[in-house]
């Protein structure tokens, strides 16, 4: 039970790690009130200057413009409508994007020379190419311009990305190329990497004020920017999974409780049956401690045997679960839950089992220690 | 050194069952010296077993004082009583009272477990005493694989393994045929000859004859 929960959580943790954790995405918003000649509802538009100012701030390691657009990608007579992100080369590292062998993500040279290159998502590749075809090196057309496919993102389970869409559906071109071709008047979003998560609230605050200053907006108007911070999202999802694990844990706990009561009952019966033997042991000099430890030990042994059987059954169960093929978009997004018996779970289970066995044995053992040897021996 | 090992003064025992109280023993005065062989003789229900439980520190008297080997036993906790039993008393019961799931050796070694003797030494001592009682061929048997007479000898070995001052036997021949009974009686004579106090409790006048001293008990009182 716990193993399944732990598996889901670990799986999610790795999935989330795939999204890159020290990343802050900043999107422009609108002014909420009139301020020094700017009227409310005025749209903020990022400029190159904003990028420079942000880069200069403390706790910031990089800031890069990002543009997003939806358009048609054509390869001979095949085409697909897809979302494109125009990004800097660092994007790959931040988002832990990986391409196949002998392929590349947008390189520094691609970026500098504003090359017409595209990295396509694994889903895009599936739509344009047959499985046996190698997309890399082929030319696909974006808005009638020939782009060389330099890489296909490797399939990875990822639940959250800056575009709000799993990376498998995204395609990437250099932002410099995009700027050259489209001469955009505004930057869609700014991807910022930072050093220290603890300083993030302050950093956000400073960014907010300085951008407002750049554009003559009210420095206290928080609605001009919206931040989305992967670390925070990750925390939320992690909480959800911890919650789920607690739920599974409670079910497991109830099972243990029932098992504990069962063991206690059996122990009570065996104590009642052994009253005369307990009397004999006491006549021979056994103290309460001897009797109590004997019955607790017996209970622990019973629990250990039960625990080992349970553990073996769990292993079989986990093994069978892994055999079940789980396909489809849902699992592509959340990742296939592979139950694992982690060391932590195992330790918890052993400790909990030990406590259960101890408590289940304790009360019958205390009852055994109360046996009056004289009475126990009279009723021979 | 005081030779009086067992000293009962004005001992009374009253059983309380709900609202009914029953005086099983009253005004018992009894002294047993080192090396004595005493039979406590009385009809059924006279209070023999009750007296034996008090002498053996299995229960405490309602009134009076009991001094065992110079120590006042009254007021001891149940764990302290357990230690006293382990040190001074070897019990022999009518129904042998062996532990059915243990081997003969482990049965005999059991009192040493409570004394904290280590495993090797326990086994050694148990085997030694069993050999003396002619049970060398039965070390690893379970008690229910033995005859009654053999079982009682195992029980006597268990009583002797701690080398106690007092052997306390309640109807030790009650469940035995006459031949095995005679063997047990012989064994007691030998033990007494070696200096142990032997106290047998019985309603059998023939068995009582083997003792050097007979204490008769009727309706919870000593009558001779
Ligand atoms: N735990 C008890 N509660 C109440 N009454 C008891 C208890 N134990 C013994 N008695 C009563 O005390 C009296 C003496 O009992 P005891 O067992 O000492 O007799 P006994 O001489 O050993 O008899 P027997 O030869 O049958 O073994 C009996 O009447 C018995 O019913
Ligand atoms: Mg009796």
């Amino acid at each position: 039970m716990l193993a399944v929960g732990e598996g889901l959580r670990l799986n999610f943790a790795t999935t989330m790690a795939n999204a890159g954790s020290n990343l802050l995405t900043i999107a422009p918003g609108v002014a909420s009130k009139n301020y020094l000649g700017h009227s409310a509802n005025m749209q903020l538009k990022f400029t190159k200057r904003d990028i420079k100012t942000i880069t200069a701030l403390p706790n910031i390691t990089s800031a890069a413009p990002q543009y997003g657009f939806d358009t048609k990608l054509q390869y001979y007579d095949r085409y697909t409508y897809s979302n494109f992100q125009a990004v800097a080369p660092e994007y790959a590292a931040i988002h832990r994007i990986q391409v196949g062998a002998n392929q590349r993500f947008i390189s520094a040279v691609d970026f500098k020379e504003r090359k017409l290159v595209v990295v396509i998502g694994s889903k895009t590749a599936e739509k344009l190419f047959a499985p046996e075809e190698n997309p890399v090196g082929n030319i696909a057309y974006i808005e009638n311009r020939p782009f060389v496919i330099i890489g296909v993102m490797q399939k990875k389970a990822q639940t959250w990305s800056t575009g709000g869409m799993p990376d498998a559906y995204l395609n990437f071109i250099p932002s410099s190329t995009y700027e050259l071709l489209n001469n955009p008047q505004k930057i869609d979003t700014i991807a910022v990497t930072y050093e220290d998560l603890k300083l993030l609230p302050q950093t956000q605050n400073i960014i907010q004020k300085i951008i407002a200053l750049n554009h003559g907006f009210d420095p206290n108007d928080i609605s001009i920017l919206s931040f989305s911070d992967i670390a925070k999202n990750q925390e939320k999802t992690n909480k959800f999974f911890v919650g789920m694990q607690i739920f599974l844990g409670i079910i497991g706990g109830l099972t243990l409780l029932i098992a504990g009561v069962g063991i206690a009952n059996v122990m009570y019966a065996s104590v009642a049956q052994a009253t005369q033997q307990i009397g004999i042991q006491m006549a021979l000099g056994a103290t309460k401690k001897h009797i109590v430890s004997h019955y607790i030990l017996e209970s622990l042994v019973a629990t250990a045997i039960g625990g080992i059987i349970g553990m073996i059954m769990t292993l079989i169960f986990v093994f069978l679960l892994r055999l079940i093929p789980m396909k489809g978009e849902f699992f592509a997004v959340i990742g296939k839950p592979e139950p694992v018996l982690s060391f932590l779970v195992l330790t918890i289970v052993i400790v909990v089992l030990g406590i259960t066995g101890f408590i289940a044995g304790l009360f019958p053992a205390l009852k055994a220690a109360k046996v009056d040897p004289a009475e126990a021996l009279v009723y021979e | 050194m005081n030779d009086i090992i067992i000293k009962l003064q004005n001992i009374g025992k009253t059983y309380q069952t709900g609202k009914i109280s029953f005086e099983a023993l009253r005004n018992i005065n009894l002294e047993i010296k080192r090396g004595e062989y005493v039979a406590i003789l009385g009809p059924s229900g006279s209070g023999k077993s009750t007296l034996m439980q008090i002498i053996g520190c299995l229960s405490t008297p309602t009134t009076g004082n009991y001094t065992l080997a110079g120590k006042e036993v009254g007021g001891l906790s149940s764990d302290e009583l357990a230690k006293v039993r382990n040190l001074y008393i070897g019990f022999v019961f009518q129904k042998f009272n062996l532990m059915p799931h243990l081997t003969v050796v482990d049965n005999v070694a059991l009192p040493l477990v409570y004394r904290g003797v280590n495993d090797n030494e326990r086994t050694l001592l148990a085997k030694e005493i069993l050999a003396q009682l002619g049970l060398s061929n039965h070390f690893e048997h379970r008690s229910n694989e033995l005859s009654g007479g053999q079982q009682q000898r195992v029980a006597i070995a268990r009583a002797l393994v701690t080398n106690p001052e007092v052997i306390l036997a309640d109807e030790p021949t009650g469940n035995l045929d006459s031949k095995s009974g005679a063997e047990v009686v012989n064994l007691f004579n030998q033990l007494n000859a070696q200096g142990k106090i032997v106290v047998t409790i019985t309603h059998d006048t023939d068995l009582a004859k083997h003792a050097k001293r007979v204490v008769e008990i009727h309706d919870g009182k000593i009558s001779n």
Side-chain angles (χ1 to χ4, degrees):
Chain A
M1 203 85 71
L2 282 164
V4 177
E6 179 78 356
L8 270 177
R9 196 172 66 88
L10 280 185
N11 194 291
F12 227 80
T14 34
T15 314
M16 291 308 301
N18 282 346
S21 20
N22 275 6
L23 180 75
L24 181 67
T25 311
I26 312 170
V30 291
S32 65
K33 47 185 181 266
N34 297 337
Y35 178 78
L36 296 177
H38 283 284
S39 57
N41 294 326
M42 177 143 171
Q43 173 73 43
L44 176 75
K45 286 170 182 164
F46 288 145
T47 62
K48 283 266 169 189
R49 191 173 150 221
D50 293 326
I51 305 273
K52 280 198 189 115
T53 357
I54 292 171
T55 315
L57 292 175
N59 196 30
I60 299 290
T61 42
S62 78
Q66 250 173 257
Y67 309 89
F69 57 98
D70 289 304
T71 193
K72 190 164 96 172
L73 182 69
Q74 180 133 19
Y75 176 69
Y76 292 100
D77 56 336
R78 289 172 247 168
Y79 61 89
T80 176
Y81 284 91
S82 209
N83 182 275
F84 290 79
Q85 294 289 318
V87 299
E90 293 79 36
Y91 188 93
I94 295 165
H95 288 257
R96 316 229 165 105
I97 285 177
Q98 281 175 346
V99 292
N102 299 322
Q103 303 178 4
R104 68 171 194 270
F105 193 74
I106 298 159
S107 70
V109 177
D110 295 328
F111 188 80
K112 207 172 148 228
E113 297 180 1
R114 301 173 179 227
K115 286 190 178 168
L116 296 179
V117 290
V118 64
V119 175
I120 60 175
S122 51
K123 290 284 169 187
T124 313
E126 277 172 29
K127 289 199 170 131
L128 294 186
F129 297 92
E132 68 276 7
E133 283 178 296
N134 182 7
V136 175
N138 287 307
I139 290 175
Y141 286 83
I142 301 170
E143 286 164 355
N144 298 322
R145 290 198 178 87
F147 278 73
V148 180
I149 299 172
I150 55 170
V152 179
M153 278 194 292
Q154 295 212 316
K155 269 188 201 168
K156 61 170 185 170
Q158 193 228 31
T159 49
W160 197 86
S161 84
T162 46
M165 198 186 275
D167 287 348
Y169 294 89
L170 290 178
N171 312 284
F172 299 95
I173 63 169
S175 51
S176 55
T177 308
Y178 181 82
E179 284 162 357
L180 176 74
L181 298 177
N182 297 290
N183 190 24
Q185 291 310 297
K186 63 175 180 70
I187 292 166
D188 286 347
T189 51
I190 300 177
V192 169
T193 54
Y194 56 90
E195 256 163 23
D196 190 351
L197 181 64
K198 274 177 265 160
L199 295 175
L200 191 60
Q202 283 114 289
T203 307
Q204 286 189 3
N205 196 12
I206 295 169
I207 293 174
Q208 140 92 34
K209 295 229 155 88
I210 216 144
I211 299 283
L213 225 68
N214 277 353
H215 297 268
F217 281 71
D218 179 356
N220 293 319
D221 189 350
I222 55 159
S223 65
I224 61 164
L225 292 181
S226 69
F227 295 96
S228 64
D229 155 22
I230 290 186
K232 212 177 273 168
N233 271 10
Q234 193 169 343
E235 214 166 274
K236 271 188 219 156
T237 343
N238 215 15
K239 268 185 197 149
F240 166 75
F241 276 93
V242 167
M244 182 150 146
Q245 211 169 3
I246 289 172
F247 170 72
L248 288 172
I250 287 171
I251 294 176
L254 282 175
T255 318
L256 264 180
L257 187 76
I258 293 165
V261 169
I263 290 172
N265 263 330
V266 171
M267 295 297 296
Y268 267 120
S270 98
V271 165
Q273 201 199 13
T275 305
Q276 199 197 331
Q277 287 181 36
I278 294 164
I280 297 167
Q281 287 171 281
M282 285 177 156
L284 298 178
T287 58
K288 287 191 191 333
K289 207 175 81 192
H290 289 123
I291 304 290
V292 167
S293 54
H294 172 91
Y295 280 98
I296 286 179
L297 193 75
E298 201 164 284
S299 168
L300 284 178
V301 168
T303 319
I305 293 170
I308 289 166
I309 294 172
M311 216 76 93
I312 292 168
M313 276 163 63
T314 308
L315 284 175
I316 296 171
F317 177 68
V318 164
F319 177 74
L320 290 178
L321 256 192
R322 286 186 171 186
L323 290 184
I324 298 172
M326 280 182 269
K327 289 218 176 92
E329 300 298 294
F330 177 68
F331 289 110
V333 171
I334 73 153
K336 184 176 167 183
E338 292 206 332
V340 284
L341 266 179
S342 76
F343 182 71
L344 178 75
V345 166
L346 213 64
T347 316
I348 290 174
V349 166
I350 287 169
V351 169
V352 169
L353 270 181
I355 293 171
T356 309
F358 182 82
I359 292 172
L362 183 65
F363 295 102
L366 290 178
K367 195 189 168 210
K370 284 207 190 95
V371 165
D372 177 352
E375 272 177 42
L377 292 168
V378 163
Y379 304 108
E380 294 180 14
Chain B
M1 197 174 180
N2 195 344
D3 269 355
I4 298 171
I5 303 298
I6 292 166
K7 186 174 184 185
L8 301 170
Q9 289 172 290
N10 293 318
I11 293 289
K13 178 77 179 179
T14 305
Y15 288 115
Q16 195 77 39
T17 323
K19 280 182 183 157
I20 308 151
S21 60
F22 181 82
E23 217 179 353
L25 293 177
R26 62 193 107 157
N27 206 24
I28 301 284
N29 287 291
L30 181 64
E31 287 181 358
I32 300 175
K33 294 197 185 73
R34 175 165 289 128
E36 276 200 278
Y37 187 169
V38 181
I40 295 171
L41 180 67
S44 184
S46 56
K48 304 184 298 292
S49 291
T50 306
L51 183 57
M52 176 236 175
Q53 285 162 12
I54 288 171
I55 294 173
C57 298
L58 287 167
S59 70
T60 46
T62 322
T63 57
N65 294 319
Y66 173 28
T67 321
L68 176 63
K71 260 182 267 167
E72 173 62 50
V73 171
L76 292 185
S77 72
S78 58
D79 278 358
E80 287 165 331
L81 287 173
K83 282 191 185 120
V84 170
R85 290 194 291 269
N86 188 265
L87 271 178
Y88 295 105
I89 315 281
F91 290 95
V92 179
F93 301 97
Q94 178 172 359
K95 288 196 175 164
F96 326 132
N97 280 344
L98 298 174
M99 304 293 273
H101 58 279
L102 297 182
T103 64
V104 164
V105 169
D106 287 344
N107 259 291
V108 174
L110 197 54
L112 297 173
V113 173
Y114 307 129
R115 215 176 248 206
V117 177
N118 74 45
D119 197 1
N120 285 338
E121 202 175 331
R122 282 201 308 258
T123 312
L124 209 72
L125 286 167
K127 284 183 174 172
E128 200 176 289
I129 207 102
L130 280 165
Q132 283 171 27
L133 297 185
L135 290 159
S136 310
N137 296 328
H138 306 286
F139 288 162
E140 299 307 322
H141 286 138
R142 311 266 148 188
S143 58
N144 55 12
E145 294 163 5
L146 302 177
S147 72
Q150 287 169 329
Q151 286 189 52
Q152 195 61 306
R153 270 188 287 155
V154 173
I156 292 168
R158 183 179 66 184
L160 291 172
V161 79
T162 53
N163 194 24
E165 191 85 48
V166 182
I167 298 292
L168 203 51
D170 191 355
E171 304 280 9
T173 59
N175 273 25
L176 298 179
D177 57 80
S178 53
K179 184 170 164 277
S180 306
E183 275 171 22
V184 167
V185 169
N186 260 335
L187 211 49
F188 282 166
N189 286 334
Q190 281 173 38
L191 290 173
N192 180 242
Q194 287 161 22
K196 293 221 182 296
I197 294 177
V198 177
V199 180
T200 50
I201 285 157
T202 185
H203 65 274
D204 180 355
T205 41
D206 286 341
L207 182 63
K209 273 178 202 153
H210 296 277
K212 292 174 189 162
R213 175 179 162 203
V214 178
V215 174
E216 278 182 54
I217 182 167
H218 285 281
D219 295 332
K221 276 179 169 168
I222 291 175
S223 55
N224 64 336

